[in-house]
Coordinates of all heavy atoms in Angstrom, one line a residue:
M610 N -16.1 38.1 -3.0 CA -16.8 36.9 -2.7 C -17.5 37.0 -1.3 O -16.8 37.3 -0.4 CB -15.9 35.7 -2.8 CG -16.4 34.5 -2.3 SD -15.2 33.1 -2.1 CE -15.9 32.1 -3.5
E611 N -18.7 36.6 -1.3 CA -19.4 36.6 0.0 C -19.0 35.3 0.7 O -19.2 34.2 0.2 CB -20.9 36.6 -0.3 CG -21.8 36.5 0.9 CD -21.7 37.7 1.9 OE1 -21.6 38.7 1.4 OE2 -21.6 37.5 3.0
L612 N -18.6 35.4 1.9 CA -18.1 34.3 2.7 C -19.1 33.9 3.9 O -19.0 32.9 4.5 CB -16.7 34.6 3.3 CG -15.7 34.7 2.3 CD1 -14.4 35.2 2.9 CD2 -15.4 33.4 1.6
K613 N -20.2 34.7 4.1 CA -21.1 34.4 5.1 C -21.6 33.0 4.9 O -22.1 32.7 3.9 CB -22.2 35.5 5.2 CG -23.1 35.3 6.3 CD -24.2 36.3 6.4 CE -24.9 36.1 7.7 NZ -26.1 36.6 8.0
D614 N -21.6 32.2 6.0 CA -22.3 30.9 6.0 C -21.5 29.9 5.1 O -22.0 28.8 4.9 CB -23.7 30.9 5.6 CG -24.6 31.7 6.6 OD1 -24.3 31.6 7.8 OD2 -25.5 32.3 6.2
K615 N -20.3 30.2 4.8 CA -19.5 29.3 3.9 C -18.7 28.4 4.9 O -18.4 28.8 6.1 CB -18.5 30.0 3.0 CG -19.2 30.8 2.0 CD -19.7 30.0 0.9 CE -20.4 30.8 -0.2 NZ -21.2 30.1 -1.1
I616 N -18.3 27.3 4.4 CA -17.3 26.4 5.2 C -16.0 26.4 4.5 O -15.9 26.2 3.3 CB -17.8 24.9 5.3 CG1 -19.2 25.0 5.9 CG2 -16.8 24.0 5.9 CD1 -20.0 23.6 5.8
V617 N -15.0 26.9 5.3 CA -13.7 27.2 4.7 C -12.5 26.3 5.3 O -12.5 26.1 6.5 CB -13.2 28.7 5.0 CG1 -11.9 29.1 4.4 CG2 -14.4 29.7 4.5
L618 N -11.7 25.8 4.4 CA -10.5 25.1 4.9 C -9.3 26.0 4.6 O -9.1 26.5 3.5 CB -10.3 23.7 4.1 CG -9.2 22.9 4.6 CD1 -9.6 21.4 4.3 CD2 -7.9 23.2 3.9
I619 N -8.4 26.2 5.6 CA -7.2 27.0 5.5 C -6.1 26.1 5.8 O -5.9 25.5 6.9 CB -7.3 28.2 6.4 CG1 -8.3 29.1 6.1 CG2 -5.9 29.0 6.4 CD1 -8.5 30.3 7.0
T620 N -5.1 25.9 4.8 CA -3.8 25.3 5.1 C -2.8 26.3 5.7 O -2.9 27.5 5.4 CB -3.2 24.7 3.8 OG1 -3.0 25.7 2.9 CG2 -4.2 23.7 3.2
G621 N -2.0 25.8 6.5 CA -1.0 26.6 7.2 C -1.6 27.6 8.2 O -1.1 28.7 8.4
A622 N -2.6 27.2 8.9 CA -3.3 28.1 9.8 C -2.6 28.4 11.0 O -2.9 29.2 11.8 CB -4.8 27.5 10.2
D623 N -1.5 27.6 11.3 CA -0.6 27.8 12.4 C 0.4 28.9 12.2 O 1.2 29.2 13.1 CB 0.0 26.5 12.9 CG 0.6 25.7 11.9 OD1 0.6 26.1 10.7 OD2 1.2 24.7 12.2
G624 N 0.6 29.3 11.0 CA 1.5 30.5 10.7 C 0.9 31.8 10.7 O -0.3 31.9 10.9
G625 N 1.7 32.9 10.6 CA 1.2 34.3 10.7 C 0.1 34.6 9.8 O -1.0 35.1 10.2
I626 N 0.1 34.4 8.5 CA -0.8 34.8 7.5 C -2.1 33.9 7.7 O -3.2 34.3 7.8 CB -0.4 34.7 6.1 CG1 0.7 35.8 5.9 CG2 -1.5 34.9 5.1 CD1 1.4 35.7 4.5
G627 N -1.9 32.6 7.9 CA -2.9 31.6 8.1 C -3.7 31.9 9.3 O -4.9 31.9 9.3
K628 N -3.1 32.2 10.4 CA -3.8 32.5 11.7 C -4.6 33.9 11.5 O -5.7 33.9 11.9 CB -2.7 32.7 12.8 CG -3.2 32.9 14.1 CD -2.1 32.7 15.2 CE -1.8 34.0 15.8 NZ -0.8 33.9 16.9
A629 N -4.0 34.8 10.8 CA -4.7 36.1 10.6 C -6.0 35.9 9.8 O -7.0 36.4 10.0 CB -3.8 37.1 10.0
L630 N -5.8 34.9 8.8 CA -7.0 34.7 8.0 C -8.1 34.0 8.8 O -9.2 34.3 8.5 CB -6.6 33.7 6.8 CG -5.8 34.5 5.6 CD1 -5.3 33.4 4.7 CD2 -6.7 35.4 4.9
V631 N -7.8 33.1 9.6 CA -8.8 32.5 10.5 C -9.6 33.5 11.3 O -10.8 33.6 11.3 CB -8.2 31.4 11.4 CG1 -9.2 31.0 12.5 CG2 -7.6 30.3 10.6
Y632 N -8.8 34.4 11.9 CA -9.6 35.5 12.6 C -10.4 36.4 11.8 O -11.4 36.8 12.2 CB -8.5 36.3 13.5 CG -8.0 35.4 14.7 CD1 -6.7 35.1 14.8 CD2 -8.8 34.8 15.6 CE1 -6.1 34.4 15.8 CE2 -8.3 34.0 16.6 CZ -7.0 33.8 16.8 OH -6.5 33.0 17.7
E633 N -9.8 36.7 10.6 CA -10.6 37.5 9.7 C -12.0 36.8 9.3 O -13.0 37.3 9.2 CB -9.8 37.9 8.4 CG -10.5 38.8 7.4 CD -10.9 40.1 7.9 OE1 -10.3 40.7 8.8 OE2 -12.0 40.6 7.4
L634 N -11.8 35.5 9.0 CA -13.0 34.8 8.6 C -14.1 34.7 9.7 O -15.2 34.7 9.4 CB -12.7 33.4 8.1 CG -11.9 33.3 6.8 CD1 -11.3 31.9 6.5 CD2 -12.8 33.7 5.6
I635 N -13.6 34.6 11.0 CA -14.5 34.6 12.1 C -15.3 35.9 12.1 O -16.6 35.8 12.3 CB -13.7 34.4 13.4 CG1 -13.2 33.0 13.5 CG2 -14.8 34.7 14.5 CD1 -12.2 32.7 14.6
S636 N -14.7 36.9 11.8 CA -15.4 38.2 11.8 C -16.4 38.4 10.6 O -17.2 39.3 10.5 CB -14.4 39.4 11.7 OG -13.9 39.5 10.5
R637 N -16.2 37.5 9.6 CA -17.1 37.6 8.4 C -18.2 36.5 8.4 O -18.9 36.2 7.4 CB -16.2 37.4 7.2 CG -15.3 38.5 6.9 CD -14.5 38.4 5.6 NE -13.7 39.4 5.4 CZ -13.6 40.3 4.4 NH1 -14.6 40.0 3.4 NH2 -12.8 41.1 4.2
D638 N -18.4 36.0 9.6 CA -19.6 35.1 9.8 C -19.6 33.8 9.1 O -20.6 33.4 8.5 CB -20.9 35.9 9.7 CG -21.1 37.0 10.7 OD1 -20.7 36.8 11.9 OD2 -21.7 38.0 10.4
V639 N -18.5 33.3 8.9 CA -18.4 32.0 8.1 C -19.1 30.9 9.0 O -19.2 31.2 10.3 CB -17.0 31.6 7.7 CG1 -16.3 32.5 6.8 CG2 -16.1 31.3 8.9
K640 N -19.5 29.9 8.4 CA -20.2 28.9 9.2 C -19.2 28.0 9.9 O -19.4 27.5 11.1 CB -21.0 28.0 8.2 CG -21.9 26.9 8.9 CD -22.8 26.2 7.9 CE -23.6 25.2 8.5 NZ -24.5 24.6 7.5
K641 N -18.1 27.6 9.3 CA -17.2 26.6 9.8 C -15.8 27.0 9.2 O -15.7 27.3 8.0 CB -17.6 25.2 9.6 CG -16.7 24.2 10.2 CD -17.1 22.8 9.7 CE -18.4 22.3 10.1 NZ -18.6 20.9 9.7
I642 N -14.7 26.8 10.0 CA -13.4 26.9 9.5 C -12.6 25.7 9.9 O -12.4 25.4 11.0 CB -12.6 28.1 10.1 CG1 -13.4 29.4 9.7 CG2 -11.2 28.2 9.6 CD1 -13.0 30.6 10.7
Y643 N -12.0 25.0 8.9 CA -11.0 23.9 9.2 C -9.7 24.5 9.2 O -9.2 25.1 8.1 CB -11.1 22.8 8.1 CG -12.5 22.0 8.1 CD1 -13.3 22.1 7.0 CD2 -12.8 21.2 9.2 CE1 -14.4 21.4 7.0 CE2 -14.0 20.5 9.2 CZ -14.8 20.5 8.1 OH -16.0 19.9 8.1
A644 N -9.1 24.7 10.3 CA -7.8 25.3 10.5 C -6.7 24.2 10.5 O -6.7 23.4 11.3 CB -7.7 26.1 11.7
T645 N -6.0 24.1 9.3 CA -5.0 22.9 9.2 C -3.6 23.4 9.3 O -3.3 24.6 9.1 CB -5.3 22.2 7.9 OG1 -4.8 23.1 6.9 CG2 -6.7 21.8 7.7
G646 N -2.8 22.5 9.8 CA -1.3 22.8 9.9 C -0.6 21.4 10.2 O -1.2 20.4 10.4
L647 N 0.7 21.6 10.4 CA 1.6 20.4 10.5 C 1.4 19.7 11.9 O 1.5 18.5 12.1 CB 3.0 20.7 10.2 CG 3.4 21.0 8.8 CD1 4.8 21.5 8.7 CD2 3.1 19.8 7.9
K648 N 1.1 20.5 13.0 CA 1.0 19.9 14.3 C -0.2 20.3 14.9 O -0.6 21.5 15.2 CB 2.2 20.5 15.1 CG 3.6 20.1 14.5 CD 4.7 20.1 15.7 CE 6.0 19.8 15.1 NZ 6.3 18.4 14.8
L649 N -1.0 19.3 15.3 CA -2.3 19.5 15.9 C -2.3 20.2 17.2 O -3.0 21.1 17.5 CB -3.0 18.2 16.0 CG -4.4 18.2 16.5 CD1 -5.3 19.0 15.7 CD2 -5.0 16.8 16.7
D650 N -1.2 19.9 17.9 CA -1.0 20.6 19.3 C -0.9 22.1 19.1 O -1.4 22.8 19.9 CB 0.2 20.0 20.0 CG 0.0 18.6 20.5 OD1 -1.1 18.1 20.5 OD2 1.0 17.9 20.7
N651 N -0.1 22.5 18.1 CA 0.0 24.0 17.8 C -1.3 24.6 17.5 O -1.6 25.7 18.0 CB 1.0 24.3 16.8 CG 2.4 23.8 17.2 OD1 2.8 23.6 18.3 ND2 3.3 23.8 16.2
L652 N -2.1 23.9 16.6 CA -3.4 24.5 16.3 C -4.3 24.6 17.5 O -5.0 25.6 17.6 CB -4.0 23.6 15.1 CG -3.3 23.7 13.8 CD1 -3.7 22.4 13.0 CD2 -3.4 24.9 13.1
I653 N -4.3 23.5 18.3 CA -5.2 23.6 19.6 C -4.8 24.6 20.4 O -5.7 25.4 21.0 CB -5.2 22.2 20.1 CG1 -5.9 21.2 19.3 CG2 -5.9 22.3 21.5 CD1 -5.8 19.8 19.7
S654 N -3.5 24.9 20.5 CA -3.0 25.9 21.4 C -3.4 27.3 20.9 O -3.6 28.3 21.7 CB -1.6 25.8 21.8 OG -0.8 26.2 20.6
I655 N -3.4 27.5 19.6 CA -3.8 28.8 19.0 C -5.3 29.0 19.0 O -5.8 30.0 19.5 CB -3.3 28.9 17.6 CG1 -1.8 28.9 17.5 CG2 -3.8 30.1 16.9 CD1 -1.2 28.7 16.1
F656 N -6.1 28.0 18.6 CA -7.5 28.2 18.4 C -8.4 27.4 19.4 O -9.6 27.6 19.3 CB -7.9 27.7 17.0 CG -7.2 28.4 15.9 CD1 -6.2 27.7 15.1 CD2 -7.3 29.7 15.7 CE1 -5.5 28.4 14.1 CE2 -6.6 30.4 14.6 CZ -5.6 29.7 13.9
G657 N -7.9 26.6 20.2 CA -8.6 25.9 21.1 C -9.2 24.6 20.4 O -8.9 24.4 19.3
N658 N -9.8 23.7 21.3 CA -10.3 22.6 20.7 C -11.9 22.4 20.8 O -12.4 21.4 20.4 CB -9.6 21.3 21.4 CG -9.8 20.0 20.6 OD1 -9.9 20.0 19.4 ND2 -9.7 18.9 21.3
N659 N -12.5 23.4 21.4 CA -13.9 23.2 21.6 C -14.7 24.4 21.0 O -15.8 24.7 21.4 CB -14.1 23.3 23.2 CG -13.5 22.2 23.9 OD1 -13.6 21.0 23.5 ND2 -12.9 22.5 25.0
S660 N -14.1 25.0 20.0 CA -14.9 26.0 19.3 C -16.0 25.4 18.4 O -15.8 24.4 17.9 CB -13.9 26.7 18.3 OG -14.5 27.7 17.5
N661 N -17.1 26.3 18.3 CA -18.1 25.7 17.4 C -17.9 26.3 15.9 O -18.7 26.1 15.1 CB -19.5 26.3 18.0 CG -19.6 27.7 18.1 OD1 -18.6 28.5 18.0 ND2 -20.8 28.1 18.4
I662 N -16.9 27.0 15.7 CA -16.6 27.6 14.4 C -15.2 27.0 13.8 O -15.1 26.6 12.8 CB -16.5 29.0 14.4 CG1 -17.9 29.7 14.7 CG2 -16.1 29.6 13.1 CD1 -17.9 31.1 15.0
V663 N -14.1 27.1 14.7 CA -12.8 26.7 14.2 C -12.5 25.2 14.6 O -12.5 24.9 15.8 CB -11.7 27.6 14.8 CG1 -10.4 27.2 14.3 CG2 -12.0 29.0 14.4
F664 N -12.1 24.4 13.6 CA -11.9 23.0 13.9 C -10.5 22.7 13.5 O -10.1 22.7 12.3 CB -12.9 22.1 13.1 CG -14.3 22.3 13.5 CD1 -15.1 23.3 12.9 CD2 -14.8 21.4 14.5 CE1 -16.4 23.4 13.4 CE2 -16.1 21.7 14.9 CZ -16.9 22.7 14.3
P665 N -9.5 22.5 14.4 CA -8.1 22.3 14.1 C -7.9 20.9 13.6 O -8.5 19.9 14.1 CB -7.4 22.4 15.5 CG -8.4 23.0 16.4 CD -9.7 22.8 15.8
I666 N -7.2 20.8 12.5 CA -7.0 19.4 11.8 C -5.5 19.4 11.4 O -5.0 20.3 10.7 CB -7.9 19.2 10.6 CG1 -9.3 19.2 11.1 CG2 -7.5 18.0 9.8 CD1 -10.3 19.0 10.0
E667 N -4.8 18.3 11.7 CA -3.5 18.1 11.3 C -3.5 17.7 9.9 O -4.2 16.9 9.4 CB -2.8 17.0 12.1 CG -1.4 16.8 11.8 CD -0.8 15.8 12.8 OE1 -1.4 15.3 13.7 OE2 0.4 15.6 12.7
L668 N -2.7 18.5 9.1 CA -2.6 18.2 7.6 C -1.1 18.6 7.1 O -0.6 19.7 7.4 CB -3.6 19.1 6.8 CG -3.4 19.1 5.3 CD1 -3.6 17.8 4.7 CD2 -4.4 20.1 4.7
D669 N -0.6 17.5 6.4 CA 0.7 17.8 5.8 C 0.5 17.7 4.3 O 0.2 16.6 3.8 CB 1.8 16.7 6.3 CG 3.1 16.8 5.5 OD1 3.3 17.6 4.6 OD2 4.1 16.1 6.0
V670 N 0.5 18.7 3.6 CA 0.1 18.7 2.2 C 1.1 18.0 1.3 O 0.9 17.7 0.1 CB -0.1 20.1 1.6 CG1 -1.3 20.8 2.4 CG2 1.1 20.9 1.7
T671 N 2.2 17.5 1.9 CA 3.2 16.7 1.1 C 3.0 15.2 1.4 O 3.8 14.4 0.9 CB 4.6 17.1 1.5 OG1 4.9 16.7 2.8 CG2 4.9 18.6 1.2
N672 N 2.0 14.8 2.2 CA 1.8 13.4 2.6 C 0.4 13.0 2.1 O -0.6 13.5 2.6 CB 2.0 13.3 4.1 CG 1.7 12.0 4.6 OD1 0.6 11.4 4.5 ND2 2.7 11.3 5.2
N673 N 0.5 12.0 1.2 CA -0.9 11.6 0.6 C -1.9 11.0 1.6 O -3.1 11.3 1.5 CB -0.6 10.5 -0.5 CG 0.0 11.1 -1.8 OD1 -0.2 12.3 -2.0 ND2 0.7 10.3 -2.6
E674 N -1.4 10.3 2.7 CA -2.3 9.7 3.6 C -3.0 10.9 4.5 O -4.1 10.8 4.8 CB -1.6 8.8 4.5 CG -1.1 7.5 3.9 CD -2.4 6.8 3.3 OE1 -3.5 6.7 3.9 OE2 -2.4 6.4 2.1
S675 N -2.1 11.9 4.8 CA -2.6 13.1 5.5 C -3.7 13.8 4.7 O -4.7 14.3 5.3 CB -1.5 14.0 5.9 OG -1.9 15.1 6.6
I676 N -3.4 13.9 3.4 CA -4.4 14.6 2.5 C -5.6 13.8 2.4 O -6.8 14.4 2.6 CB -3.7 14.8 1.1 CG1 -2.6 15.8 1.2 CG2 -4.9 15.2 0.1 CD1 -1.7 15.8 -0.1
K677 N -5.6 12.5 2.2 CA -6.8 11.6 2.2 C -7.6 11.7 3.4 O -8.9 11.8 3.4 CB -6.4 10.2 1.9 CG -5.9 9.9 0.5 CD -5.5 8.4 0.4 CE -4.8 8.2 -0.9 NZ -4.3 6.8 -1.1
R678 N -6.9 11.8 4.6 CA -7.7 11.8 5.8 C -8.4 13.2 6.0 O -9.5 13.3 6.4 CB -6.6 11.7 7.0 CG -7.2 11.5 8.4 CD -6.1 11.2 9.4 NE -4.9 11.9 9.4 CZ -3.7 11.5 8.9 NH1 -3.6 10.3 8.5 NH2 -2.7 12.3 9.0
S679 N -7.7 14.3 5.5 CA -8.4 15.6 5.6 C -9.5 15.7 4.6 O -10.4 16.3 4.9 CB -7.3 16.7 5.3 OG -6.4 16.7 6.3
V680 N -9.4 15.1 3.4 CA -10.5 15.1 2.5 C -11.7 14.5 3.1 O -12.9 14.9 2.9 CB -10.1 14.4 1.2 CG1 -11.3 14.0 0.3 CG2 -9.1 15.1 0.4
E681 N -11.6 13.4 3.8 CA -12.7 12.7 4.5 C -13.3 13.6 5.6 O -14.5 13.7 5.7 CB -12.3 11.4 5.1 CG -11.9 10.3 4.0 CD -11.3 9.0 4.6 OE1 -11.2 9.0 5.8 OE2 -10.9 8.2 3.8
L682 N -12.4 14.2 6.4 CA -12.9 15.1 7.5 C -13.5 16.3 7.1 O -14.4 16.9 7.7 CB -11.7 15.4 8.4 CG -11.2 14.2 9.2 CD1 -9.8 14.7 10.0 CD2 -12.2 13.8 10.3
C683 N -13.1 16.8 5.9 CA -13.5 18.2 5.5 C -14.3 18.1 4.2 O -14.2 19.1 3.4 CB -12.2 19.1 5.3 SG -11.1 19.1 6.6
S684 N -15.1 17.1 4.0 CA -15.8 16.9 2.6 C -16.9 18.0 2.4 O -17.3 18.1 1.3 CB -16.4 15.6 2.6 OG -17.4 15.4 3.7
D685 N -17.2 18.7 3.5 CA -18.3 19.7 3.3 C -17.7 21.1 3.0 O -18.4 22.1 3.0 CB -19.2 19.8 4.5 CG -18.4 20.1 5.7 OD1 -17.2 19.9 5.8 OD2 -19.1 20.4 6.8
T686 N -16.4 21.2 2.6 CA -15.7 22.4 2.4 C -16.3 23.1 1.2 O -16.5 22.5 0.1 CB -14.2 22.2 2.2 OG1 -13.7 21.7 3.5 CG2 -13.5 23.5 1.8
N687 N -16.5 24.4 1.2 CA -16.9 25.3 0.1 C -15.8 26.1 -0.4 O -15.8 26.4 -1.7 CB -18.1 26.2 0.4 CG -19.2 25.7 1.1 OD1 -19.6 26.0 2.2 ND2 -20.0 24.8 0.3
V688 N -14.9 26.6 0.4 CA -13.8 27.4 -0.1 C -12.5 26.9 0.5 O -12.4 26.6 1.7 CB -14.0 28.8 0.5 CG1 -12.9 29.8 0.2 CG2 -15.3 29.5 0.0
L689 N -11.5 26.9 -0.4 CA -10.1 26.4 0.1 C -9.2 27.7 0.0 O -9.1 28.3 -1.0 CB -9.6 25.3 -0.8 CG -8.1 25.0 -0.7 CD1 -7.8 24.4 0.7 CD2 -7.7 24.0 -1.8
I690 N -8.5 27.9 1.1 CA -7.4 28.9 1.1 C -6.2 28.2 1.3 O -5.9 27.7 2.5 CB -7.7 30.0 2.1 CG1 -9.0 30.7 1.9 CG2 -6.5 31.0 2.2 CD1 -9.4 31.7 3.0
N691 N -5.3 28.0 0.3 CA -4.1 27.3 0.4 C -2.9 28.2 0.3 O -2.7 28.8 -0.6 CB -4.2 26.3 -0.7 CG -3.0 25.2 -0.6 OD1 -2.3 25.1 0.3 ND2 -2.8 24.5 -1.7

């Protein structure tokens, strides 16, 4: 799958595999990455908060309100890596 210029949402981006996937996607010239995880502070410490590619977002996939909030924030997503 060609990922260049895609907008990708990754759940669990604050863990080992998720974090590695974010860095791999950066090297593949994606347009935007929504890096999601349970704690926004952890995501910001890993990826920063001022990137023009990686956008940290708090997401608990077991919480309906958290999911709804993420759907609104990430409505332009082309690819989901869950």
